[in-house]
């Protein structure tokens, strides 16, 4: 019987089985940022410990950094304290820090792959829920809490429960205007926001095989929104081509040797899975969330559910979401007025996301009364986009063009919703209060859909806009 990638990577990194039934797993790469690390560093300092593997630890600043005015000290004294703390801790322990001003500063899940730090067959940990992003490379990547950040700093190990594996095959071919974001929103809608508990999600099938690394990262990024502990795609030629020449990827003959090893990490053809799910990619359309969790979504041509027709288990959740969002049962999602359009976050702020959004925006103006901003995932993405002139397309349309960071994904910085504003967002969470206002409302969608909504001032089907692009090109 063959093995899955998860089993192979797990076994290769097992230090020992613990009496609790957990596995002590060695972590190949630890990514650190300013928000979840200060307390963890304090805890190891209080015990007189040092960081066990500073050469396997890399830091950046993303969550609290302002994306407009980055002058230090920050006006927000708590943000300034977090920044200073990370700077001090990195200097003290010899950890590389991609700080403001570095061409590699950016969202931790964007810069890891960009630098070639993220590689197939690795175990990766980071104090952020969306660490699953790195699974796109065939790594097993865990989002961890502050006490686990302490554990990894001190020992480079984590104590983890064993996982089952669910293989999710996406068949067919995505239509123009349908993106990886729509695929993962459909998966979460279908399997539920708790459906992945205890599982690793292995994404596969022809539609995933055809995806770029950026698209695979979008899918793996949101695994956690379906409660999967990790999500991954088996490494293939697309993975290797992405990594070739990156700063921390093996070079020359070592790259060829690494490729051979990486290929061997992929799940075997006869691997046994605990569950299998098939999603028909041909049937997908652009998808928009209407509720207060990422599983509450609908195709752009569809209507919101009626709680009276829902199962007893789902009824209360639908009622609560409709009430919070100010929507009526049966209402169509298209035509929902928006106040803010946000293109950014570790889900959808990479160069290909910005290119696709710019394609929709080119030659148009942002609707009056809509505040629109583009926040590249990293300074590397920002610079590459500027070399292509994408910033000019956005700025001419009326978008604000910002520096790299998490921005309005979770609003721990000056980018926030106000009052009851509705935001078309390319991020990953639509929880109550997520974007800074306790009553603000988030509609998750692909970056191209956000761009189309920004221009129209309301939710529209981006496929109609793309048709427009073809005609006028
Ligand atoms: S963009 Fe959002 S989800 Fe991603 S790392 Fe930043 S805060 Fe977390």
């Amino acid at each position: 019987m063959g093995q899955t990638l998860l089993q192979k990577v797990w076994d290769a990194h097992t230090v020992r089985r613990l009496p609790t039934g957990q596995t002590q797993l060695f972590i190949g790469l630890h990514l650190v940022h300013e928000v979840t690390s200060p307390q963890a560093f304090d805890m190891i300092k209080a015990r007189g410990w040092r960081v066990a593997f500073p050469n396997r630890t890399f830091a950046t600043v993303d969550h609290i950094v302002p994306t407009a005015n980055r002058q230090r000290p920050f006006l927000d004294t708590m943000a300034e304290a977090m920044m200073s703390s990370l700077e001090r801790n990195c200097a003290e322990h010899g950890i590389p820090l991609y700080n403001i001003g570095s061409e590699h500063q950016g969202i931790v899940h964007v810069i890891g792959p960009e630098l070639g730090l993220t590689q197939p067959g690795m175990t990766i940990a980071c104090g952020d829920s969306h660490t699953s992003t790195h699974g796109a490379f065939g790594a097993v990547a865990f989002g961890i809490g502050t006490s686990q950040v302490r554990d990894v700093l001190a020992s480079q190990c984590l104590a983890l429960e064993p996982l089952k594996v669910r293989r999710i095959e996406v068949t067919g071919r995505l239509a123009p205007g349908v993106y990886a974001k729509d695929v993962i929103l459909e998966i979460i809608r279908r399997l539920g926001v708790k459906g992945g508990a205890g599982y690793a999600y292995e994404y596969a099938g022809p539609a995933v095989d055809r995806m770029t690394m950026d698209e695979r990262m979008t899918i793996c990024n949101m695994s956690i929104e379906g409660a999967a502990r990790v999500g991954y795609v088996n490494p293939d030629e697309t993975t290797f081509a992405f990594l070739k020449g990156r700063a921390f990827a093996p070079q020359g003959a070592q790259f060829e040797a690494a490729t051979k090893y990486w290929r061997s990490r992929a799940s075997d053809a006869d691997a046994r899975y605990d569950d299998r799910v098939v999603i028909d990619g041909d049937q997908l359309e652009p998808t928009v969330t209407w509720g207060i969790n990422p599983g509450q979504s609908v195709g752009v041509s569809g209507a919101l559910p009626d709680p009276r027709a829902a199962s007893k288990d789902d009824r209360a959740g639908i009622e609560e979401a409709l009430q919070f969002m100010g929507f009526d049962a049966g209402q169509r999602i298209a035509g929902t007025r928006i106040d803010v359009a946000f293109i950014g976050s570790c889900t959808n702020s990479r160069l290909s996301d910005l290119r696709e959004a710019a394609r929709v925006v080119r030659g148009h103006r942002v609707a009056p009364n809509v505040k629109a901003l583009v926040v590249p995932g990293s300074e590397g993405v920002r610079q590459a986009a500027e070399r292509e002139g994408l910033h000019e397309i956005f700025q001419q349309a009326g978008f604000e063009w910002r520096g790299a960071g998490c921005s309005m994904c979770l609003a721990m910085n000056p980018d926030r919703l106000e009052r009851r504003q509705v935001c078309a967002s390319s991020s990953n969470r639509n929880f109550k209060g997520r974007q800074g206002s306790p009553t603000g409302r988030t509609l998750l969608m692909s970056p191209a859909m956000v761009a189309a909504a920004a221009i129209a001032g309301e939710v529209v089907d981006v496929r109609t806009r793309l048709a427009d692009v073809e005609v006028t090109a």
Side-chain angles (χ1 to χ4, degrees):
M1 178 67 76
Q3 288 188 304
T4 62
L5 177 142
L6 180 89
Q7 290 165 330
K8 294 180 190 181
V9 176
W10 193 278
D11 290 349
H13 291 82
T14 293
V15 178
R16 61 187 170 131
R17 313 263 174 223
L18 300 170
T20 55
Q22 294 175 304
T23 304
Q24 185 183 14
L25 217 57
F26 185 78
I27 299 301
L29 172 68
H30 187 196
L31 298 168
V32 172
H33 62 85
E34 75 280 26
V35 171
T36 50
S37 67
Q39 271 181 298
F41 277 109
D42 285 350
M43 287 189 267
I44 65 165
K45 198 172 183 178
R47 290 168 173 82
W49 296 341
R50 302 280 308 163
V51 172
F53 286 84
N55 58 331
R56 292 182 176 274
T57 311
F58 294 82
T60 186
V61 288
D62 51 9
H63 284 62
I64 53 100
V65 291
T67 59
N69 179 359
R70 295 173 172 238
Q71 207 175 341
R72 300 283 298 277
F74 297 149
L75 290 176
D76 179 340
T77 50
M78 195 183 289
E80 179 59 33
M82 285 183 193
M83 284 288 287
S84 307
S85 170
L86 184 64
E87 288 165 340
R88 218 172 28 249
N89 287 322
C90 287
E92 204 171 298
H93 292 276
I95 295 168
L97 167 62
Y98 300 112
N99 206 343
I100 290 175
S102 161
E103 60 176 331
H104 300 305
Q105 180 265 328
I107 306 176
V108 65
H109 311 312
V110 177
I111 68 152
E114 212 170 69
L115 287 164
L117 287 166
T118 304
Q119 295 172 18
M122 265 187 170
T123 48
I124 299 177
C126 173
D128 182 90
S129 311
H130 296 85
T131 306
S132 53
T133 311
H134 304 263
F137 291 78
V140 175
F142 302 95
I144 56 177
T146 296
S147 57
Q148 291 174 305
V149 173
R150 170 204 60 197
D151 295 349
V152 182
L153 288 175
S155 68
Q156 203 65 25
C157 291
L158 279 174
L160 293 160
E161 308 287 343
L163 293 170
K164 294 183 282 187
V165 184
R166 173 177 288 145
R167 183 172 162 95
I168 301 174
E169 289 184 23
V170 187
T171 59
R173 188 177 282 272
L174 305 184
V178 179
Y179 300 94
K181 182 64 156 286
D182 304 305
V183 173
I184 189 63
L185 285 174
E186 172 66 11
I187 289 171
I188 299 167
R189 190 185 67 77
R190 195 88 78 80
L191 300 176
V193 289
K194 295 181 183 160
Y199 278 98
Y201 280 177
E202 176 176 307
Y203 303 104
V208 174
D209 292 344
R210 269 193 298 272
M211 284 182 182
T212 64
M213 290 313 296
D214 286 7
E215 293 171 305
R216 294 177 187 181
M217 282 189 257
T218 296
I219 291 200
C220 290
N221 173 276
M222 288 189 71
S223 305
I224 189 72
E225 303 308 332
R229 191 69 182 87
V230 302
Y232 66 85
V233 176
N234 284 306
D236 62 6
E237 300 310 316
T238 304
T239 322
F240 311 144
F242 180 100
L243 285 170
K244 193 160 192 174
R246 304 243 165 210
F248 286 89
Q251 308 292 327
Q254 285 184 332
F255 185 83
E256 299 314 317
T259 303
K260 201 170 161 205
Y261 173 72
W262 292 340
R263 199 172 276 122
S264 77
R265 299 295 83 189
S267 296
D268 297 321
D270 58 347
R272 194 189 69 79
Y273 294 91
D274 299 284
D275 192 27
R276 283 176 184 263
V277 172
V278 176
I279 303 279
D280 184 354
D282 287 325
Q283 298 300 317
L284 300 183
E285 63 171 336
T287 300
V288 181
T289 61
W290 55 266
I292 51 175
N293 71 54
Q296 291 176 320
S297 67
V298 65
V300 68
S301 66
L304 276 50
D306 186 337
R308 288 168 303 186
S311 70
K312 212 170 141 206
D313 289 348
D314 290 342
R315 195 168 305 149
I318 294 173
E319 280 170 350
E320 182 191 358
L322 290 175
Q323 191 184 16
F324 180 82
M325 297 297 287
F327 290 149
D328 296 323
Q331 178 181 331
R332 304 204 80 75
I333 194 70
T336 303
R337 308 275 305 167
I338 67 156
D339 305 296
V340 178
F342 169 58
I343 297 174
S345 89
C346 58
T347 313
N348 278 125
S349 62
R350 296 178 178 83
L351 186 59
S352 58
D353 297 317
L354 306 193
R355 280 181 183 151
E356 204 58 21
R359 208 154 75 88
V360 176
V361 163
R362 185 194 293 271
H364 296 282
R365 288 287 304 169
V366 169
N369 308 322
V370 172
K371 174 189 168 77
L373 61 160
V374 181
V375 186
S378 69
E379 281 300 292
V381 169
R382 185 181 66 76
Q383 287 168 18
E386 289 184 1
R387 282 195 293 275
E388 294 183 14
L390 300 186
H391 64 310
E392 287 166 357
I393 295 172
F394 286 116
Q395 285 170 329
Q396 281 162 12
F399 279 81
E400 296 175 31
W401 178 254
R402 299 290 188 82
C406 296
S407 180
M408 207 179 262
C409 172
L410 90 169
M412 285 184 85
N413 50 73
D415 304 336
R416 314 166 75 84
L417 291 188
E418 292 169 10
R419 301 177 298 279
R420 288 281 284 159
Q421 281 183 324
V422 175
C423 179
S425 177
S426 69
S427 57
N428 46 49
R429 282 187 169 163
N430 52 345
F431 304 155
K432 290 178 183 175
R434 171 72 176 181
Q435 293 194 284
S437 164
T439 52
R441 294 168 287 173
T442 303
L443 308 174
L444 301 176
M445 57 189 85
S446 69
M449 280 285 285
V450 176
I455 303 302
E458 61 184 35
V459 174
V460 290
D461 187 339
V462 68
R463 292 173 296 185
T464 60
R465 303 281 158 161
L466 289 172
D468 193 30
V469 170
E470 308 309 343
V471 172
T472 56

